[in-house]
Amino acid sequence: MKKFSALLVFIILLSLFKPSAAFAAASLTLSPASSTKSVNDTFSVDIVLDTGGDPVGGATAILTYDTTKLQVQGSTLTPGPIFGSSVAPFTNTVDTITGQIRYDSGTLGTPYTGRGTLATMTFRAIAAGTAQVNFVFNPSSTTGTSIVAAASGPTNLLTNVGNGIYTVTSGVVVSQSLPPSGAVENTLMVLAGGVGFLAIGLFLSRKALLNT
C-alpha cells in the first residue's frame, strides 16, 4: 500500500509538470553514444542524467529502438544508483513489439544533484545495419515525453537529450583468396626454367664473342 501511494503521488506530480524554465539545463544522454558491434554481440548502454546543477526529485526516460537490429536482453532495465540502490523504479518496461522503453524513477526524500546513471540497457545485435536508439522528447508537452522533475515543484528541467547510433556488422572476415593448390609450385618452375634459358643464352653469346 505504501509503494502504491508513492507511485500515485509520483504520477500526480508528473501530470502537473510545466515546460522547463529558461535557466534549466538538465539532460538525458546515452553512454556510449555510438559503437560498432558484430551480430550476436551483447553490449550495455547507460541512460545518463545530468541535472545541470539543479536538484531533481525524479526522471522519466522514454526511448525507442530498432527492433530489426537490436534486441533488449531481459524484460526490464538495470536501475542506476543515483536515487539510491534501495529505491525501486516506478515504471520499468520494455515493449519488444513496438520497440519502446520506459523507465521512471525518483525519490520522495533527498533530491539528487549531479551526473550519474539513471538505468542501464543491455542489447544484443541481431542483424547487420545501423540502429538508432532515440529519446522521446517534446519540450512543449507534459505527457508521453521524457522528463527531469525539479525537486522544488512540478517543473520539467529537461532541455537536452543525446541519442545513440550503433553499427552492427555481419562479423564475416573477408580473407584474400589463395592461389589454387600447385599454382605456386608451377610458377616457381616456370621462373626457374626462364632463368636457366637466360643463363645459357648469356654463355653462348659470350663464347661467340670470344671466337670472333
Side-chain angles (χ1 to χ4, degrees), residues 4-50:
F4 176 78
S5 299
L7 175 59
L8 182 61
V9 170
F10 191 76
I11 292 174
I12 292 173
L13 288 175
L14 287 179
S15 67
L16 296 174
F17 276 12
K18 299 177 291 184
S20 58
F23 62 85
S27 66
L28 287 170
T29 57
L30 299 181
S31 179
S34 63
S35 63
T36 299
K37 301 295 178 181
S38 298
V39 172
N40 291 324
D41 281 353
T42 58
F43 61 101
S44 296
V45 178
D46 291 336
I47 302 173
V48 179
L49 167 64
D50 190 332

Side-chain angles (χ1 to χ4, degrees), residues 52-201:
D54 293 317
V56 304
T60 295
I62 304 176
L63 304 104
T64 60
Y65 68 96
D66 187 346
T67 58
T68 66
K69 305 292 189 302
L70 302 176
Q71 183 182 76
V72 177
Q73 301 299 281
S75 58
T76 58
L77 307 189
T78 302
I82 62 176
F83 291 118
S85 58
S86 61
V87 177
F90 298 110
T91 307
N92 189 356
T93 59
V94 177
D95 189 329
T96 58
I97 304 300
T98 63
Q100 187 172 93
I101 296 168
R102 178 164 182 146
Y103 186 89
D104 297 317
S105 186
T107 177
L108 300 177
T110 304
Y112 174 76
T113 304
R115 186 177 188 274
T117 299
L118 179 67
T120 299
M121 306 173 285
T122 300
F123 293 104
R124 183 171 74 90
I126 58 175
T130 300
Q132 293 185 337
V133 180
N134 298 326
F135 285 96
V136 177
F137 177 49
N138 183 353
S140 62
S141 177
T142 58
T143 58
T145 183
S146 299
I147 286 173
V148 174
S152 58
T155 299
N156 182 11
L157 300 177
L158 184 62
T159 59
N160 181 58
V161 295
N163 299 317
I165 184 166
Y166 307 97
T167 302
V168 181
T169 64
S170 63
V172 177
V173 177
V174 180
S175 59
Q176 187 175 358
S177 299
L178 295 175
S181 178
V184 173
E185 291 83 355
N186 292 338
T187 301
L188 291 175
M189 290 178 64
V190 171
L191 289 175
V195 171
F197 282 121
L198 179 61
I200 293 172

